[in-house]
Amino acid sequence: MERDNDRIIEELQEEIDHYQLIFDYTYGASVVVDPDGYIIDINRGYLEFLDITYEEVIGTHCTKILGDSRLHIVAQTGKAEMNQVQTINNQQILARRIPVKKDGKVVAAVGQIIFEDIRQIASLARKYSLLESKVKHYEQELRHLRSTRYSFESIVGDSKPMHRIKKEALIATSNSFPVLITGESGTGKEIFAQAIHHESKRSIHPFIRINCAAIPRELMESELFGYEKGAFTGARNDGKPGKFEMAHQGTIFLDEIGELPLEMQPKLLRVLEEKEFERVGGTRVIRSDFRLIAATNRNLAQMVAEGSFRSDLYYRINVIHLHLPPLRKRREDIPLLGRHLLGLIADKEGLVGVTLSIEAEELLSGYAWPGNVRELSNCLERAVASMTENTLTTEDLPFCMLQYSERKETLRHSSLKEALNDAEKNIITATLKEESFNKAKAARRLGIHRTLLYKKMDKYSISAQSA
């Protein structure tokens, strides 16, 4: 029996030593007092901080060893005191005091030093401030490195239509609703999409672009949703994430959404509504928090009526609708836009001091621009490639522009009757030349009687010599 007791005592002592070892190696300095404030235990870290031995501390009241300690008060009140400044050995520290309760009664209180020197807090604050500055810097760099090159500053135009559309687009940056951008080809739909992303709370996250018209029908699903290993012949061994997966917390831009195959539309609708999907060949559900911006130059409402675009998908993507006006509807922006584009082209080519003449601006402003901004940019690039002076003039503009200018000038100074007479004279002259002035053959080709041909030749003074 005595041996059993000795063994139990030995085991208990080993257990006590074990917990004391853990207490000693606990990070930081800790001390324990009884309900009256007398020290009953202290770890090695605290002893080293006080530069005192264990025997000198145990059984001593905390106020004699720990300066202006309030551990005994915490033991009496049972209320913890967190992050309190305390002075020990003429040194300010940051400490916390926690009551230990058993069956609702305080049986001890633990004091811990958080910082051995209050000056560490100031140092930590400086480090935090530095890190915060670095994070902001890296966020800006990350935003730059993400796929957005354009912001609202990239959108050039002071016309009323552009002010209105930019205002609507700015409102769209404050939420995450789907955006549908419509407009003719070359009106700048992707620039607006990137600008909305750039100014939104998702700006530090990815902007993922996908052109629905450029992806083969059979690859569309794997491109949007990704695929698992061995999903199909030619699949990568490690699988591949899809565009929606890559757009997590960011924006996915579906350009030319009107070209999306009809069989893919219900799958896209489900992803937009549930924000979850599975990779091709996979069973794991992937969730992605993304914002959708779609664009098209087609009339989706008409496509819905024709049955080539699902109505439920149309209503889902058409929450915020931005319709970009063509260039011909905002002609007052053309000179400003022309100068802006010319500056970009000149910078790219390393040219200095390139300007646009007033006459060239007027000619550009009068043109219809069926290809919109993209055509204007192409026109200016061709002009810069051939210009010999620093000022771009009408002579530097492409031949098609000059033809337009001449045609416009002719129409401006001619009545309808004069224009018709000129056209008739040119047709008769050309036909006579082709028939070597054989009037009978020329009359048959023109569908008129030979006598009438003679009269018209007299009217327009057409002869073999004049032709």
Side-chain angles (χ1 to χ4, degrees):
M1 186 69 178
E2 188 174 345
R3 288 181 180 176
D4 291 340
N5 289 337
D6 290 342
R7 183 174 57 79
I8 292 171
I9 292 171
E10 184 179 347
E11 289 176 354
L12 288 173
Q13 186 60 52
E14 287 180 358
E15 190 172 351
I16 291 170
D17 292 342
H18 177 71
Y19 285 116
Q20 185 64 49
L21 187 64
I22 294 174
F23 186 49
D24 280 338
Y25 278 91
T26 300
Y27 180 77
S30 301
V31 61
V32 184
V33 301
D34 64 15
D36 296 320
Y38 289 91
I39 299 173
I40 58 176
D41 204 354
I42 188 169
N43 75 349
R44 188 173 64 177
Y46 221 135
L47 290 174
E48 291 175 354
F49 174 71
L50 295 171
D51 193 21
I52 199 170
T53 64
Y54 187 84
E55 290 73 21
E56 291 176 282
V57 172
I58 298 302
T60 306
H61 198 270
C62 62
T63 54
K64 293 184 179 180
I65 301 295
L66 307 178
D68 57 354
S69 174
R70 289 173 48 87
L71 263 179
H72 58 299
I73 297 174
V74 172
Q76 292 169 8
T77 63
K79 295 181 179 179
E81 296 180 353
M82 309 298 288
N83 305 327
Q84 300 295 309
V85 177
Q86 181 181 334
T87 302
I88 302 178
N89 296 340
N90 297 319
Q91 184 175 347
Q92 285 188 315
I93 64 167
L94 195 66
R96 59 187 174 194
R97 310 176 188 107
I98 306 168
V100 179
K101 297 180 181 180
K102 183 178 181 181
D103 299 327
K105 183 180 179 181
V106 177
V107 296
V110 179
Q112 291 181 311
I113 294 177
I114 303 174
F115 293 102
E116 295 182 3
D117 190 333
I118 201 74
R119 288 173 294 183
Q120 287 180 297
I121 301 175
S123 175
L124 189 64
R126 287 193 296 270
K127 290 180 180 178
Y128 174 79
S129 178
L130 179 62
L131 287 173
E132 192 176 36
S133 299
K134 286 184 177 180
V135 167
K136 288 182 180 179
H137 171 72
Y138 291 140
E139 281 182 351
Q140 291 176 350
E141 288 295 314
L142 183 61
R143 184 179 300 173
H144 177 72
L145 291 172
R146 294 291 188 184
S147 299
T148 51
R149 292 188 299 148
Y150 304 109
S151 66
F152 280 99
E153 294 178 356
S154 308
I155 301 172
V156 179
D158 284 329
S159 62
K160 286 185 179 180
M162 288 304 291
H163 278 296
R164 176 184 55 79
I165 203 70
K166 281 195 279 188
K167 183 178 179 180
E168 293 174 359
L170 275 169
I171 294 173
T173 65
S174 62
N175 56 63
S176 291
F177 294 123
V179 179
L180 176 62
I181 306 175
T182 59
E184 295 178 6
S185 179
T187 51
K189 294 185 286 295
E190 183 171 354
I191 293 179
F192 268 88
Q194 291 195 22
I196 292 171
H197 172 79
H198 189 272
E199 292 297 325
S200 73
K201 63 182 179 180
R202 298 174 180 268
S203 59
I204 64 172
H205 300 292
F207 178 88
I208 304 298
R209 178 187 182 276
I210 185 166
N211 187 327
C212 298
I215 301 173
R217 184 182 297 261
E218 61 274 12
L219 298 179
M220 180 66 73
E221 187 172 1
S222 62
E223 193 70 24
L224 290 178
F225 309 132
Y227 58 82
E228 294 291 356
K229 174 183 177 181
F232 50 83
T233 303
R236 280 174 18 180
N237 291 333
D238 55 348
K240 180 183 176 183
K243 301 297 186 183
F244 281 102
E245 192 173 343
M246 295 166 62
H248 180 57
Q249 296 186 320
T251 301
I252 185 164
F253 175 55
L254 296 184
D255 196 11
E256 299 192 52
I257 195 171
E259 308 301 325
L260 191 70
L262 193 59
E263 64 270 18
M264 277 299 302
Q265 294 179 23
K267 298 178 182 179
L268 175 60
L269 179 64
R270 179 180 176 273
V271 175
L272 297 180
E273 291 181 338
E274 305 296 334
K275 295 293 180 76
E276 63 181 34
F277 52 91
E278 297 172 3
R279 289 183 178 182
V280 175
T283 56
R284 179 172 60 94
V285 174
I286 299 172
R287 291 176 175 82
S288 179
D289 171 28
F290 60 85
R291 189 208 192 145
L292 174 78
I293 300 180
T296 182
N297 59 6
R298 301 187 65 180
N299 188 333
L300 292 186
Q302 183 179 343
M303 292 179 67
V304 169
E306 295 170 351
S308 57
F309 201 88
R310 291 178 62 106
S311 60
D312 47 7
L313 178 59
Y314 174 65
Y315 298 131
R316 191 70 187 85
I317 66 175
N318 191 22
V319 178
I320 299 175
H321 185 191
L322 304 177
H323 181 72
L324 306 189
L327 208 50
R328 63 184 175 276
K329 297 291 186 181
R330 53 184 186 103
R331 292 185 184 275
E332 58 268 43
D333 288 333
I334 294 176
L336 181 64
L337 191 57
R339 290 192 294 270
H340 173 73
L341 292 172
L342 185 61
L344 295 179
I345 295 167
D347 288 343
K348 182 181 177 182
E349 298 299 323
L351 303 175
V352 180
V354 177
T355 59
L356 195 62
S357 72
I358 296 175
E359 294 77 16
E361 285 186 5
E362 291 176 352
L363 180 58
L364 294 175
S365 298
Y367 185 55
W369 299 112
N372 294 294
V373 181
R374 188 177 292 121
E375 184 184 2
L376 174 59
S377 179
N378 173 263
C379 176
L380 292 172
E381 284 179 341
R382 291 168 64 186
V384 170
S386 61
M387 64 185 293
T388 57
E389 303 292 338
N390 282 346
T391 299
L392 191 151
T393 66
T394 55
E395 286 75 17
D396 297 312
L397 292 171
F399 182 66
C400 61
M401 289 290 301
L402 297 179
Q403 281 185 318
Y404 170 80
S405 177
E406 292 169 359
R407 185 165 65 252
K408 182 180 177 183
E409 194 70 23
T410 299
L411 291 174
R412 185 167 63 180
H413 294 291
S414 301
S415 65
L416 177 60
K417 184 178 180 180
E418 290 173 337
L420 290 174
N421 287 340
D422 286 342
E424 188 175 48
K425 177 181 178 181
N426 292 335
I427 292 172
I428 292 173
T429 301
T431 305
L432 285 166
K433 284 183 179 180
E434 290 175 5
E435 297 297 339
S436 302
F437 266 79
N438 185 318
K439 298 176 184 62
K441 290 183 179 180
R444 282 196 296 270
R445 281 190 57 186
L446 291 169
I448 60 177
H449 195 276
R450 188 168 56 178
T451 304
L452 181 58
L453 175 59
Y454 288 142
K455 289 181 178 179
K456 289 188 178 292
M457 289 178 65
D458 290 337
K459 176 183 178 181
Y460 299 126
S461 301
I462 302 174
S463 64
Q465 289 77 19
S466 62

